[in-house]
Amino acid sequence: MAKEIHATIPEGDLKDKWSNYKAHAKLVSPNNRKKLEVIVVGTGLAGASAAASLAEMGYKIKSFCFQDSPRRAHSVAAQGGVNAMKNYQNDGDSVYRMFYDTLKGGDFRSREANTYRLAECSASLIDQAVAQGVPFGREYSGYLKNRSFGGVQVSRTFYARGQTGQQLLLGAYQALMRQKEQGNVQLYTRHEMLDLVIIDGKAKGIIARNLDTGEIERHGAHAVILATGGFGKIYYLSTLAMGCNASAIWRAYKKGALMANPSWTQVHPTSLPQSGPYQSKLTLMSESLRNDGRIWVPKSKEEQRLPGEIPEEERDYYLERKYPSFGNLAPRDIASRAAKEQIDAGKGVGALKNAVYLDFSDAIKEYGQELIAERYGNLFTMYQKITGIDAYKEPMKISPSAHFSMGGLWVDYDLMTSIPGLFAIGEANFSDHGANRLGANSLLQACVDGYYIAPYTLQNYLADQIQVKKTDVNHPAFTEAEEKVQKQLHHFINQKGTKTAEEFHRELGKILYDKCGLSRSEDGLKIAISQIQNLREDFKTNLLVPGDVEDINSELEKAGRVSDYLELSELMCIDALNRNESCGAHFREEFQTEDGEAKRDDKDFAYSAAWEWSGEVSSPILNKEVLKFEFVQPTQRSYK
Amino acid sequence: MNSFSLLSEAINNRIVMKIHLKIWRQKNQNTKGQLETYTLDDVDAEMSFLEMLDMLNLKLAKQGERPVEFDHDCREGICGQCGVMINGIAHGPLKNTTTCQLHMRSFKDGDTIFVEPFKAKAFPVIRDLKVNRSALDEIIAAGGYISVSTGQAPEANSILVSHEEAESAFDSAACIGCGACVATCKNASAALFTSSKISQLAKLPQGKKESNKRTVDMVNRMEDLGFGHCTNTEACQVECPQDISVLNIAQMNYEYNKAKLVK
Ligand SMILES: Cc1cc2nc3c(=O)[nH]c(=O)nc-3n(C[C@H](O)[C@H](O)[C@H](O)COP(=O)(O)OP(=O)(O)OC[C@H]3O[C@@H](n4cnc5c(N)ncnc54)[C@H](O)[C@@H]3O)c2cc1C
Ligand code: SF4
Ligand code: FES
């Protein structure tokens, strides 16, 4: 029997909940704050903004990332923009509308209170970023500019050319470096968290490996925040960076933190297609391109002509045809599935027939090449660098690719996991996007979690820790965790098998794309589970990791990440199998409407599945957080 | 969906090259390094440069040898983590391109390619092609920010920034912190990197207030960290993947002199 869990949502009307919370949250007096230490793992938008904000308040912060500088966290790669409710365009936007768009975009599978808070706090983020010097796009008058993004009918997206993530991250990174200079933050770059340490039921520290030396280190604190980003890299080919991983959250899961809706992965419709078997990652082309680009495939499977030679009437602008009111701006899950449908039907384009066209010729005719270049110039340049093709002259070829993890560590309204003192923010948690995330909402979520929520909720927790002494890293819990980590690393090295971690990872990625990707079925998922189990068995004895543990060793780093992926992937399949409905990005072939759209089952599945570690990878325990819709009535999502 | 079934077909149509590599191998900062020679027979022209190194590393691992350590993460030209000298040029032969965005179609069958780390006094080698660039973070820590804490910000549209100012600030802000400018400079100066941040913030109304202090602190820190002096050779902009303009250096000098006058 599944247990029911609750999220400690404050009382009151939707619009009062967060102010009520803040009005009653416990505080720590300024002179006590410097005695309290907080570990923040991750320096992306979520981690850097939380670490900087908490340090500004006076807490002592230890900040970790695996890259060589905090500025390189994968938030840096976000191109398109960040949403915020400013209603600068006077086009009818409001906090409620933004909340509703997000909830509906997520196919009514997120928590009302959290989603509302995201919209409510969004405006402050833009204020903060502008004050930090983020060079957002401006009108000639000097006012901020906006664009529209998939899945909504207002323009609430702010952007800094095609580098919104980079520019927002630099703002947060610079705030972090300012606090480092003031002595409030200790930076641990090139460090990877390999375990969570729990003492008396509370999160008290981490075990980390110094990637430059191989040394295993113990770090204690009064609370731990995980801001370790998404795990879409589990599909091997994805839009994520090579080092993105699930290790921090997975190891926290194995220490008792619940993992929610792990199978909900957003597959982005506009990435570049795979070009060969050696390929290591896929590059995203910002979804903002869909504002001006038209998506189509040839009507005939046999089509051999160049795109420019195919007459209008022999093209199928399938999104415009199927979803007339949203057209090319249909939400991502819908756009990706529609592309897959065309590709599976043999109408894909390109050498591998694995892509669809994204065509700018009409936009260039209407607005001129100069304006299109101003809007998307760097994306066109990037496209040319990667493919060698000039997209001003011929359409881009795009294809769906694994992109964003809606699932992640389960958190309550305070963004605290089921382990007291362990918080999860940004993409690492599961909270705000339901079964599908709207474009430009996740930079927002990472920032709102880090700048505006964690500083309050963490303080509320820390208020009870003032009397608690500094964590002793010689506590047996640290020794035990460290020994476990050491043992695993030596096991990887000592196998001396024949397959590298990368080779295992590629195989896993293929299984997941085929059976737990855009489309899932009971049979497929069952096969996937047994394939993953076999792969995991092989990984136990046949892994090849050259080099040593106590040394710099990239292959060893990969082995740890792949090892966790080989376990998490099974949980993803179990989660997808459990959910006998289709919602958002989770499309179960058995559950679809007559015209092939996702068919939700609100009676049986209006809950978040929060899985609990049982000691065995294959038999997790299901907990349910029932989603109560008090303020909004879920409807059938339609973008037609 | 990226289909796997057609991959074999692609394999038949591809252009395959033989590539000789001379790669810098160095155990750590305290040992001497040297160039080692490797040959790959099966390099696909559509591979990225880093995928070619992946291929080499796979081969080395299978032979029981240590793979080549190199830095990379996003592999899409934005995080600034990758970066090596390729035939003596930072990030290789293409203009305004990071190492990760370079593809093997830029080389020919039979080519010999020299691959070395970014070398500079302030960038000690960690292993092989990996260097420590944390000095760049230290320069930012010295003052590369607007001192505004969370919660202090006024309403965003109360700070007007003209379109031209915003675009120009963006041009400076586009630096990805890769360090190619330093590696390329015969004086190992970080002037391009440092000046891009100084000018970005000086161009914006909200950043002007602190400009004097920021400029002096960052420039002093840059010198303390062992970076050389800029002698205006302008080699940095040529190899900068973001095409950061040397005009930023001129603006830094202007801001610096202005700050000194005020003092
Ligand atoms: C290509 C791309 C484009 C995108 N475009 C947009 C967009 O236009 N708009 C939008 O809203 N969203 C976009 N997104 C999504 C958005 O960028 C991310 O969801 C968001 O930036 C995540 O931020 P984060 O702080 O949670 O994680 P990240 O920025 O990924 O940071 C994770 C941090 O955790 C650290 N870390 C991870 N594991 C460990 C470990 N085990 N030990 C130590 N440190 C660890 C890393 O070093 C890093 O510092 C995009 C995503 C991608 C991939
Ligand atoms: S100025 Fe250019 S070369 Fe120098 S660090 Fe920045 S992006 Fe790299
Ligand atoms: S790997 Fe990120 S810029 Fe090259």
Side-chain angles (χ1 to χ4, degrees):
Chain A
M1 255 307 278
K3 279 185 285 182
E4 221 185 284
I5 50 170
H6 300 281
T8 59
I9 296 168
E11 293 298 314
D13 193 64
L14 201 49
K15 61 181 191 313
D16 302 324
K17 287 182 190 292
W18 182 231
S19 11
N20 285 348
Y21 180 96
K22 287 194 287 187
H24 298 108
K26 283 175 260 179
L27 300 175
V28 177
S29 72
N31 56 343
N32 276 330
R33 294 181 199 158
K34 59 179 178 295
K35 296 181 211 151
L36 293 167
E37 291 181 312
V38 180
I39 286 174
V40 182
V41 188
T43 59
L45 276 171
S49 60
S53 305
L54 287 162
E56 287 161 5
M57 292 160 78
Y59 294 101
K60 290 287 165 216
I61 307 297
K62 290 178 167 187
S63 157
F64 292 80
C65 67
F66 66 76
Q67 291 92 347
D68 75 333
S69 163
R71 64 181 290 159
R72 309 203 201 283
H74 202 49
S75 292
V76 81
Q79 302 164 348
V82 57
N83 287 337
M85 205 307 287
K86 283 287 198 184
N87 195 27
Y88 285 158
Q89 305 307 320
N90 195 28
D91 55 1
D93 206 2
S94 65
V95 170
Y96 186 86
R97 185 178 295 277
M98 183 170 179
F99 148 74
Y100 186 80
D101 284 344
T102 306
L103 199 75
K104 174 185 170 197
D107 216 355
F108 303 96
R109 286 292 172 267
S110 53
R111 220 183 260 156
E112 281 182 332
N114 284 56
T115 310
Y116 191 88
R117 179 174 61 183
L118 178 72
E120 187 182 348
C121 297
S122 63
S124 315
L125 167 67
I126 300 304
D127 300 342
Q128 187 66 28
V130 165
Q132 289 170 343
V134 172
F136 285 123
R138 298 272 174 167
E139 307 286 356
Y140 283 95
S141 55
Y143 291 101
L144 286 152
K145 246 185 186 166
N146 293 105
R147 58 163 65 132
S148 63
F149 235 58
V152 302
Q153 288 167 315
V154 295
S155 291
R156 66 164 75 100
T157 306
F158 294 78
Y159 61 100
R161 270 188 225 162
Q163 287 191 6
T164 314
Q166 150 110 325
Q167 295 307 325
L168 282 173
L169 183 61
L170 287 176
Y173 154 76
Q174 288 163 198
L176 180 70
M177 296 312 284
R178 172 172 162 245
Q179 291 307 310
K180 176 189 179 292
E181 186 75 3
Q182 294 180 8
N184 301 326
V185 172
Q186 259 180 298
L187 264 190
Y188 296 87
T189 58
R190 292 203 201 259
H191 273 68
E192 184 159 31
M193 169 180 163
L194 292 181
D195 210 354
L196 175 73
V197 179
I198 298 179
I199 299 176
D200 299 332
K202 295 195 173 73
K204 287 290 179 180
I206 64 168
I207 304 292
R209 182 165 175 271
N210 178 334
L211 302 180
D212 278 349
T213 61
E215 220 172 308
I216 305 295
E217 300 172 353
R218 304 174 181 192
H219 296 275
H222 290 87
V224 177
I225 301 181
L226 299 185
T228 51
F231 54 85
K233 182 75 194 161
I234 195 167
Y235 288 81
Y236 192 74
L237 288 177
S238 77
T239 62
L240 283 101
M242 301 304 285
C244 289
N245 65 87
S247 293
I249 62 170
W250 186 250
R251 291 172 195 216
Y253 164 75
K254 289 172 91 170
K255 284 276 166 91
L258 302 178
M259 182 77 78
N261 308 325
S263 73
W264 291 354
T265 305
Q266 180 165 80
V267 176
H268 198 290
T270 59
S271 122
L272 298 187
Q274 184 180 13
S275 64
Y278 44 78
Q279 189 118 6
S280 57
K281 79 155 293 201
L282 297 171
T283 301
L284 182 81
M285 298 311 286
S286 167
E287 165 172 83
S288 61
L289 292 168
R290 290 202 273 144
N291 275 312
D292 287 303
R294 296 180 70 196
I295 294 176
W296 61 277
V297 291
K299 281 188 178 158
S300 160
K301 279 203 281 197
E302 291 7 288
E303 189 58 71
Q304 295 292 332
R305 286 169 292 184
L306 291 170
E309 294 165 0
I310 304 173
E312 275 300 302
E313 60 280 7
E314 291 178 46
R315 302 174 176 193
D316 182 6
Y317 294 90
Y318 57 87
L319 284 177
E320 296 171 22
R321 171 173 57 80
K322 291 177 68 170
Y323 307 98
S325 65
F326 279 72
N328 293 298
L329 289 176
R332 293 180 178 175
D333 52 339
I334 290 180
S336 287
R337 214 148 46 229
K340 177 177 156 59
E341 215 173 86
Q342 300 299 329
I343 293 167
D344 288 351
K347 296 185 190 163
V349 300
L352 298 176
K353 291 183 78 82
N354 61 350
V356 298
Y357 289 128
L358 177 63
D359 197 336
F360 291 88
S361 49
D362 288 347
I364 290 173
K365 254 182 251 151
E366 190 174 341
Y367 305 113
Q369 179 159 332
E370 205 174 309
L371 193 99
I372 296 300
E374 189 187 314
R375 282 187 193 158
Y376 313 107
N378 63 328
L379 297 172
F380 279 57
T381 310
M382 181 163 172
Y383 185 77
Q384 182 148 29
K385 275 183 195 168
I386 297 172
T387 62
I389 295 170
D390 180 356
Y392 295 107
K393 301 213 172 79
E394 64 177 276
M396 290 184 179
K397 293 191 221 37
I398 53 160
S399 186
S401 163
H403 179 58
F404 181 86
S405 320
M406 273 80 70
L409 287 180
W410 181 87
V411 287
D412 63 11
Y413 188 74
D414 286 21
L415 305 183
M416 188 156 83
T417 67
S418 49
I419 300 174
L422 180 70
F423 292 74
I425 61 177
E427 196 174 337
N429 74 23
F430 88 115
S431 68
D432 298 345
H433 309 292
N436 172 56
R437 165 178 75 86
L438 284 187
N441 258 357
S442 68
L443 289 179
L444 174 69
Q445 182 228 335
C447 291
V448 164
D449 285 3
Y451 284 117
Y452 301 115
I453 301 176
Y456 286 95
T457 59
L458 199 83
Q459 177 152 271
N460 186 53
Y461 173 80
L462 288 174
D464 295 330
Q465 305 295 311
I466 299 169
Q467 305 301 333
V468 180
K469 279 212 303 279
K470 221 175 128 122
T471 299
D472 176 13
V473 296
N474 295 316
H475 188 282
F478 274 94
T479 312
E480 193 191 317
E482 182 183 333
E483 278 169 4
K484 209 181 77 197
V485 164
Q486 288 279 12
K487 205 173 134 205
Q488 188 191 39
L489 293 170
H490 283 98
H491 171 73
F492 292 149
I493 296 265
N494 292 339
Q495 282 180 45
K496 309 223 182 303
T498 64
K499 251 161 76 176
T500 63
E502 190 105 357
E503 290 175 293
F504 279 101
H505 196 171
R506 277 182 196 274
E507 278 182 56
L508 176 65
K510 182 171 159 25
I511 298 172
L512 287 178
Y513 261 115
D514 286 351
K515 307 205 171 64
C516 194
L518 273 171
S519 169
R520 297 123 185 233
S521 70
E522 182 177 342
D523 292 344
L525 288 164
K526 285 183 174 158
I527 296 170
I529 289 173
S530 88
Q531 287 174 331
I532 292 167
Q533 287 170 348
N534 291 339
L535 203 56
R536 207 164 54 227
E537 277 310 302
D538 197 25
F539 187 83
K540 280 188 193 146
T541 54
N542 193 21
L543 174 67
L544 170 62
V545 180
D548 303 308
V549 171
E550 290 85 15
D551 195 4
I552 183 169
N553 190 341
S554 302
E555 289 296 313
L556 184 62
E557 293 166 29
K558 283 187 215 161
R561 294 168 190 162
V562 174
S563 165
D564 294 330
Y565 279 153
L566 283 168
E567 298 184 348
L568 169 57
S569 53
E570 182 170 347
L571 185 65
M572 288 168 68
C573 294
I574 293 172
D575 181 53
L577 194 57
N578 169 66
R579 193 166 281 276
N580 286 324
E581 66 160 351
S582 294
C583 58
H586 169 73
F587 188 77
R588 278 280 302 270
E589 287 157 19
E590 302 90 332
F591 307 98
Q592 49 181 305
T593 61
E594 265 163 32
D595 46 0
E597 303 295 334
K599 194 163 150 197
R600 262 191 359 242
D601 174 356
D602 289 340
K603 192 169 121 312
D604 293 321
F605 288 96
Y607 67 82
S608 288
W611 299 94
E612 182 180 340
W613 174 246
S614 69
E616 276 299 324
V617 181
S618 304
S619 47
I621 301 157
L622 177 62
N623 296 270
K624 292 180 180 177
E625 182 199 334
V626 174
L627 297 168
K628 293 192 198 81
F629 294 96
E630 291 178 67
F631 304 93
V632 161
Q633 231 11 66
T635 53
Q636 188 68 32
R637 209 165 61 125
S638 168
Y639 292 92
K640 297 226 173 226
Chain B
M1 180 70 51
N2 286 287
S3 105
F4 291 84
S5 54
L6 285 152
L7 279 179
S8 49
E9 195 178 302
I11 296 168
N12 296 332
N13 296 333
R14 69 197 180 133
I15 301 168
V16 176
M17 308 186 289
K18 185 182 198 131
I19 296 288
H20 307 285
L21 295 162
K22 298 225 179 259
I23 300 186
W24 187 259
R25 305 298 308 255
Q26 181 174 348
K27 186 149 174 48
N28 57 44
Q29 205 185 326
N30 306 318
T31 53
K32 268 179 66 182
Q34 78 282 338
L35 287 167
E36 298 278 349
T37 308
Y38 306 94
T39 296
L40 291 172
D41 295 323
D42 208 17
V43 175
D44 192 308
E46 289 308 306
M47 268 183 182
S48 72
F49 187 81
L50 295 184
E51 282 162 357
M52 182 274 295
L53 288 184
D54 290 343
M55 187 181 189
L56 171 69
N57 277 347
L58 180 67
K59 187 173 151 187
L60 292 178
K62 298 253 173 176
Q63 290 167 358
E65 291 173 53
R66 271 175 196 276
V68 180
E69 291 287 345
F70 63 93
D71 260 327
H72 63 104
D73 198 32
C74 75
R75 294 204 176 187
E76 55 179 85
I78 191 68
C79 74
Q81 174 119 349
C82 67
V84 291
M85 304 299 285
I86 300 170
N87 292 333
I89 305 171
H91 291 304
L94 290 190
K95 233 180 110 59
N96 307 141
T97 304
T98 54
T99 302
C100 61
Q101 290 203 301
L102 180 65
H103 283 70
M104 295 310 291
R105 55 178 174 266
S106 295
F107 300 91
K108 289 192 312 290
D109 187 26
D111 274 1
T112 299
I113 308 174
F114 285 78
V115 191
E116 291 165 276
F118 280 177
K119 284 182 189 153
K121 186 171 156 223
F123 292 172
V125 170
I126 297 171
R127 166 78 50 89
D128 300 337
L129 305 173
K130 267 188 182 162
V131 297
N132 182 345
R133 285 168 294 190
S134 57
L136 297 181
D137 292 321
E138 293 301 322
I139 294 175
I140 298 295
Y145 36 74
I146 293 171
S147 301
V148 54
S149 297
T150 305
Q152 287 179 329
E155 152 60 38
N157 259 346
S158 66
I159 308 172
L160 295 189
V161 182
S162 74
H163 181 77
E164 294 79 5
E165 281 172 326
E167 292 297 305
S168 170
F170 185 97
D171 287 339
S172 302
C175 163
I176 58 173
C178 64
C181 47
V182 178
T184 267
C185 175
K186 68 179 170 51
N187 308 315
S189 164
L192 194 63
F193 169 82
T194 309
S195 67
S196 67
K197 189 49 67 185
I198 288 175
S199 351
Q200 175 209 340
L201 298 178
K203 282 169 186 170
L204 293 167
Q206 61 272 45
K208 283 204 166 68
K209 294 269 180 295
E210 273 174 294
S211 186
N212 289 349
K213 180 169 167 21
R214 173 186 309 124
T215 307
V216 173
D217 288 350
M218 289 178 76
V219 169
N220 289 346
R221 180 70 58 87
M222 175 171 73
E223 288 173 2
D224 292 348
L225 287 164
F227 291 101
H229 285 272
C230 169
T231 52
N232 299 315
T233 66
E234 304 191 359
C236 47
Q237 181 177 352
V238 178
E239 295 185 21
C240 169
Q242 295 292 88
D243 200 14
I244 300 293
S245 164
V246 289
L247 292 176
N248 288 293
I249 301 181
Q251 174 152 15
M252 172 170 77
N253 293 336
Y254 167 79
E255 298 287 335
Y256 187 79
N257 292 331
K258 191 177 67 167
K260 286 290 175 187
L261 274 180
V262 175
K263 273 197 174 168

